């Protein structure tokens, strides 16, 4: 892998022929085998786009999932999708209609075998696959069975671990757990969130990662960020815990944020996936914009542990915007690589 090997948080916009563009929870345009074919074709396009843009560790762009959490939950017994209730998510940042856990949880079957095996067969680059983290899943469902968030999180962690082990057997190089809830429930992260994450990665020998950001570029998240003051210091509490954890990589938000850049030094000993692309704007960064973030991060992270990334998933963005941002990410990393060679 080259110095400053690039990757993305996970999701990319879906083609208009697959789902309604520029939105979360977009409805599929087809059904049955036609939908399966459309998902496959969109996944191959997502891989090709990343390769063309110089992304070193690629994903399937989450093209087969309507939502990063519910794409997993659809394969879990013990969840009643017909029994939806409205709850506050991320400490009531926004409301959502969510399914209800009604009995003990178990996997019906493999969750992402088709997508992972397809991606592995069609790229020679390192392949990352993303899964929702246990705490974030717990925050995105209603509970009518366990009566305890910790117990339910551990049950979900066991299911995630089973799928993660199978993904590793499929040839996936990096398995990432998405935990935006880690930026909200700071006390719970220490009390049981890290333990649940450890349970999800138990027995894995591939690279493991956790993604912690301030959310997609949607209004609810942007409004929430406006309440966080001149500095966003949530990472100050979570990063020391993660530095002592067994996780290999931490993916975080940085570009155009109010996160003090020096906080990433708290991740000593971990690979740091620094968000150098802002997903909350349709403005396409220049390579120099990306390079500037990398240079600042290098003041606090050893070069061999720095991986330029996106702040979060890009699924709500227009496709042409996401493509431009990917190209800037690849070119910006190349700029800093060249500078170090010349130095």
């Amino acid at each position: 892998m080259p110095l400053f090997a690039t990757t993305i948080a996970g999701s990319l916009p879906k083609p208009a022929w697959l789902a309604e563009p520029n939105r979360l929870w977009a409805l599929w345009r087809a059904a049955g085998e036609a939908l399966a074919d459309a998902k496959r074709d969109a996944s191959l396009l997502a891989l090709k786009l990343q390769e063309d843009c110089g992304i070193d560790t690629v994903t399937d762009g989450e093209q087969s999932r309507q939502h990063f959490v519910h794409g997993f939950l659809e394969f879990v017994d013990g969840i009643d999708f017909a029994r939806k209730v409205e709850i506050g998510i991320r400490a009531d940042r926004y409301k959502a209609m969510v399914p209800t856990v009604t009995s003990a949880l178990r996997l019906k079957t493999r969750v992402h075998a088709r997508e992972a095996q397809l991606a592995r067969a069609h790229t020679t680059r390192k392949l990352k696959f993303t899964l929702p983290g246990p705490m974030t899943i717990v925050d995105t469902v209603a509970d009518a069975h366990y009566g305890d968030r910790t117990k339910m999180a551990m049950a979900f962690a066991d299911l995630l671990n089973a799928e993660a082990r199978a993904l590793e057997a499929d040839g996936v190089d990096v398995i990432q757990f998405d935990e935006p809830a880690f930026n909200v429930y700071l006390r719970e992260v220490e009390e049981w969130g890290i333990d649940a994450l450890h349970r999800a990665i138990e027995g894995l020998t591939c690279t493991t990662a956790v993604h912690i950001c301030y959310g997609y570029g949607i209004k609810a998240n942007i409004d929430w960020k406006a309440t966080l003051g001149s500095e966003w210091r949530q990472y100050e509490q979570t990063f020391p815990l993660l530095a002592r954890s067994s996780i290999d990589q931490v993916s975080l938000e940085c570009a155009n944020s109010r996160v003090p850049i020096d906080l990433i030094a708290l991740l000593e000993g971990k690979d740091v996936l620094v968000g150098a692309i802002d997903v909350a704007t349709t403005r396409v960064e220049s390579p120099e914009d990306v390079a500037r973030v990398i240079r600042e991060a290098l003041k606090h992270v050893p070069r061999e542990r720095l991986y330029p990334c996106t702040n979060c998933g890009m699924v709500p963005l227009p496709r042409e915007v996401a493509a431009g941002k990917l190209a800037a990410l690849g070119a910006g990393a190349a700029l800093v690589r060249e500078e170090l060679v010349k130095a």
Side-chain angles (χ1 to χ4, degrees):
M1 293 287 282
L3 195 62
F4 311 130
T6 53
T7 188
I8 66 172
S11 69
L12 289 171
K14 295 178 175 67
W17 42 262
L18 175 59
E20 184 180 350
N22 307 334
R23 61 168 295 180
L24 294 175
W25 300 97
L27 298 177
W28 299 118
R29 301 286 203 191
E33 284 303 309
L35 177 58
D37 288 346
K39 289 178 177 179
R40 179 200 63 210
D41 294 346
S43 298
L44 295 180
L45 287 172
L47 289 171
K48 183 65 167 59
L49 173 63
Q50 291 169 82
E51 291 179 349
D52 288 350
C53 291
I55 306 305
D56 299 293
T57 298
V58 299
T59 80
D60 72 334
E62 300 180 11
Q63 298 296 294
S64 295
R65 294 176 244 180
Q66 191 176 47
H67 184 267
F68 81 104
V69 174
H70 287 211
F72 185 85
L73 298 184
E74 291 169 7
F75 294 83
V76 178
D77 270 333
I79 299 178
D80 188 349
F81 276 85
R83 186 176 167 184
K84 285 192 174 182
V85 297
E86 184 177 68
I87 65 170
I89 289 178
R90 312 294 181 265
D92 288 326
R93 191 188 315 166
Y94 53 89
K95 303 289 186 181
M97 297 298 296
V98 302
T100 301
V101 175
T102 56
S103 62
L105 300 165
R106 70 178 184 85
L107 287 180
K108 301 174 185 178
T109 181
R110 278 294 310 279
V111 181
H112 296 302
R114 180 183 294 185
E115 302 99 290
Q117 292 165 16
L118 176 76
R120 183 71 285 167
H122 287 87
T123 186
T124 58
R125 302 201 180 186
K126 282 203 170 185
L127 177 64
K128 175 164 75 175
F129 214 87
T130 58
L131 294 170
M135 179 178 280
T136 296
I137 294 179
V138 166
D139 195 46
T140 319
V141 295
D143 178 24
H145 175 73
Y146 287 92
D148 181 280
R149 286 168 71 87
T150 305
K151 288 181 181 178
M152 188 162 66
M154 294 305 173
F156 275 118
D158 287 339
L159 306 190
L160 290 164
N161 181 250
E163 179 62 17
R165 290 184 186 223
L167 287 169
E168 181 178 74
D170 290 331
V172 171
D173 301 291
V174 182
I175 296 177
Q176 174 181 294
F177 296 88
D178 295 333
E179 283 285 24
F182 270 31
N183 258 356
V184 181
Y185 306 105
L186 302 180
R187 177 176 54 82
E188 289 86 348
V189 172
E190 182 171 12
E191 290 177 349
W192 55 267
I194 299 292
D195 289 342
L197 190 61
H198 279 160
R199 195 146 163 178
I201 67 172
E202 186 177 344
L204 296 178
T205 59
C206 65
T207 299
T208 59
V210 61
H211 173 64
I212 308 171
C213 68
Y214 288 79
Y216 289 122
I218 59 175
K219 187 178 186 302
N221 292 333
I222 294 170
D223 291 347
W224 173 61
K225 291 179 184 183
T227 71
L228 297 179
S230 60
E231 287 192 340
W232 304 347
R233 304 196 70 91
Q234 285 78 9
Y235 288 152
E236 196 166 24
Q237 294 187 52
T238 55
F239 283 179
L241 300 172
L242 288 167
R244 297 193 295 270
S245 77
S246 302
I247 206 79
D248 298 314
Q249 300 184 334
V250 180
S251 172
L252 55 97
E253 180 164 337
C254 186
N256 290 339
S257 77
R258 295 176 184 170
V259 173
I261 189 69
D262 61 310
L263 293 182
I264 63 177
L266 297 173
L267 290 168
E268 184 177 2
K270 301 300 180 185
D271 291 342
V272 181
L273 279 58
V274 174
I277 293 292
D278 183 4
V279 303
T281 176
T282 56
R283 174 185 170 270
V284 174
E285 290 83 352
S286 69
E288 179 55 36
D289 291 330
V290 172
R292 192 176 303 113
V293 175
I294 297 171
R295 293 188 200 106
E296 284 299 308
L298 280 172
K299 297 175 183 178
H300 309 284
V301 179
R303 63 179 65 177
E304 65 274 10
R305 288 199 174 275
L306 181 58
Y307 294 77
C309 189
T310 58
N311 277 358
C312 187
M314 294 199 283
V315 64
L317 292 173
R319 289 182 79 199
E320 65 276 10
V321 169
K325 286 176 177 285
L326 286 180
L329 180 61
L335 271 179
V336 185
R337 237 178 262 132
E338 292 166 8
E339 290 171 2
L340 290 178
V341 169
K342 294 175 182 177

